Amino acid sequence: MTAAIVAGLLAGYGIAIPVGAVGAYLVALTARTSLTVGAGAALGVAAVDGGYAIAAVLGGAALAGAIEPYAGPLRWASAAVLLVMAA
């Protein structure tokens, strides 16, 4: 039973915490230089990601009001796209 739980936890972490290209680059940069340089680079990446998130929230809020009259047809179109993809 414990082995199944541990295997499930490891699989969950493998899905939830993927190391992408930027993460791999940060690990390699830190290995080549120092922890200070790697931490600075990681903080820079986090700052840019935060800026993108703020832009997405503000832009999404502005866009939501503009497309609200078309919400019904957009829902049906998105449902149709998902059904086509599922088929």
Side-chain angles (χ1 to χ4, degrees):
M1 183 68 157
T2 303
I5 292 172
V6 171
L9 285 172
L10 289 175
Y13 279 125
I15 293 169
I17 309 173
V19 177
V22 174
Y25 173 72
L26 290 173
V27 169
L29 177 69
T30 305
R32 285 194 314 266
T33 58
S34 68
L35 182 59
T36 305
V37 172
L43 287 172
V45 169
V48 170
D49 283 346
Y52 286 148
I54 289 171
V57 167
L58 296 177
L63 188 61
I67 64 170
E68 201 255 330
Y70 310 105
L74 286 174
R75 282 190 193 109
W76 285 108
S78 63
V81 168
L82 288 174
L83 288 173
V84 168
M85 289 174 61

